[in-house]
Amino acid sequence: MTSEATGERLQKVMAAAGVASRRVCEQYIAEGRVAVNGEIITEPGRRVDPFTDRVTVDGTAIQLDTSRRYVMLNKPVGVVSSMKDEQGRPDLTRYTNRYEERLFNVGRLDADTSGLLILTNDGELAHVLAHPSFGVEKTYIAKVQGEATPTTMKKLMAGIELEDGLIAADKARIIGAASRGQTMVEITLHSGKNRIVRRMLDAVGHPVLELVRRQFGPLHLGTLPVGQARDLSKVELGRLLTIARAESNPASDLESDPA
């Protein structure tokens, strides 16, 4: 816990983090809506360390360290999820170079998959979100070959036996009617196994033709154009940090994301 003789005043760092004006932050504190490291604070004179203390407002986490950056990218097909590709393929530096901070990707999407990818310089958050024990849900839209049926969706949710074990989707549904021998499928799962969406759909006889990740935990791609990036909103960041901080003891080994 931060010593009362050190650190910065709570309302000051909250205001600097963009929570609200200093006066409004003082009001939040007085109303008992602010907690530091799990302890409700009602006195605005409390001093905190913005780099180590964890603060919540109404139970939602806020980031006091203003040096941290969180960006959502709609990764195009053909771009690899790395900062340098040994084969010389397009990589993520074309997007990260525009920021002053040194950003890196949270997890991966393979080169043939487009969609939501998080870029950040927050190593702790990246470690938790990328680790399979965290179990963050990801939602994909896949165009698959063949006319998929509700029975096939039930099979995906019941579990598919692959070479590395039984894998089940959390949700799976058909979007619209099949057209020209192709079907649009929405699938949600939390597995971190490599290329798991493609492998599952291939196993039930519907090879993936196109694959887009639309959602990562509480984050939605929305109308962000392909190849564009934007900072997370305060609301989005709060939701992401709240979920990430709820994971108390993430293990040490990371896996790739399931695309």
Side-chain angles (χ1 to χ4, degrees):
M1 183 176 293
T2 305
S3 168
E4 289 295 323
T6 61
E8 300 180 59
R9 289 183 180 273
L10 178 57
Q11 66 270 30
K12 179 181 178 181
V13 292
M14 287 175 61
V19 175
S21 68
R22 192 178 302 189
R23 178 168 294 183
V24 172
C25 289
E26 290 175 350
Q27 182 178 339
Y28 288 168
I29 296 168
E31 293 172 350
R33 298 169 60 182
V34 179
V36 177
N37 300 324
E39 174 191 358
I40 297 295
I41 303 299
T42 58
E43 295 297 329
R46 171 65 179 269
R47 291 182 179 275
V48 297
D49 183 341
F51 300 104
T52 59
D53 286 324
R54 293 186 169 183
V55 175
T56 61
V57 177
D58 296 331
T60 298
I62 61 174
Q63 178 58 274
L64 300 181
D65 183 357
T66 55
S67 70
R68 300 301 185 187
R69 190 155 202 160
Y70 307 86
V71 173
M72 178 190 297
L73 168 69
N74 188 347
K75 187 191 81 68
V77 170
V79 174
V80 296
S81 296
S82 68
M83 296 304 156
K84 185 177 182 180
D85 183 60
E86 295 180 354
Q87 301 177 35
R89 294 173 295 180
D91 56 40
L92 296 174
T93 55
R94 62 180 56 196
Y95 306 105
T96 59
N97 283 345
R98 69 187 67 170
Y99 298 98
E100 293 181 2
E101 300 85 356
R102 185 177 180 181
L103 305 181
F104 50 87
N105 49 299
V106 177
R108 295 175 179 272
L109 289 176
D110 67 53
D112 296 327
T113 301
S114 63
L116 199 163
L117 193 64
I118 301 172
L119 305 173
T120 185
N121 59 349
D122 186 336
E124 181 181 4
L125 177 133
H127 176 81
V128 173
L129 292 186
H131 197 275
S133 68
F134 179 64
V136 62
E137 283 191 344
K138 297 126 181 161
T139 297
Y140 298 81
I141 302 295
K143 179 190 287 187
V144 302
Q145 184 175 316
E147 297 186 7
T149 65
T151 299
T152 303
M153 299 301 101
K154 291 179 180 178
K155 287 182 180 179
L156 291 170
M157 290 186 286
I160 304 297
E161 190 69 45
L162 301 175
E163 65 273 14
D164 48 356
L166 183 71
I167 300 294
D170 297 305
K171 301 173 186 176
R173 68 185 183 98
I174 296 169
I175 303 175
S179 176
R180 299 180 180 180
Q182 300 174 353
T183 311
M184 300 296 291
V185 175
E186 181 182 85
I187 183 168
T188 299
L189 71 171
H190 60 269
S191 170
K193 294 183 181 294
N194 188 41
R195 297 177 66 86
I196 192 63
V197 175
R198 295 177 183 277
R199 291 194 288 133
M200 289 180 71
L201 288 167
D202 188 62
V204 294
H206 295 290
V208 171
L209 303 175
E210 296 179 16
L211 187 62
V212 181
R213 181 159 72 188
R214 296 291 308 175
Q215 183 175 347
F216 186 103
L219 305 181
H220 297 262
L221 194 59
T223 58
L224 184 66
V226 175
Q228 296 298 307
R230 66 168 177 82
D231 289 298
L232 296 188
S233 69
K234 287 291 188 296
V235 172
E236 289 173 327
L237 178 56
R239 290 172 179 167
L240 195 65
L241 290 173
T242 299
I243 292 175
R245 290 176 182 178
E247 178 71 5
S248 56
N249 292 305
S252 58
D253 297 325
L254 300 182
E255 289 188 20
S256 298
D257 272 340

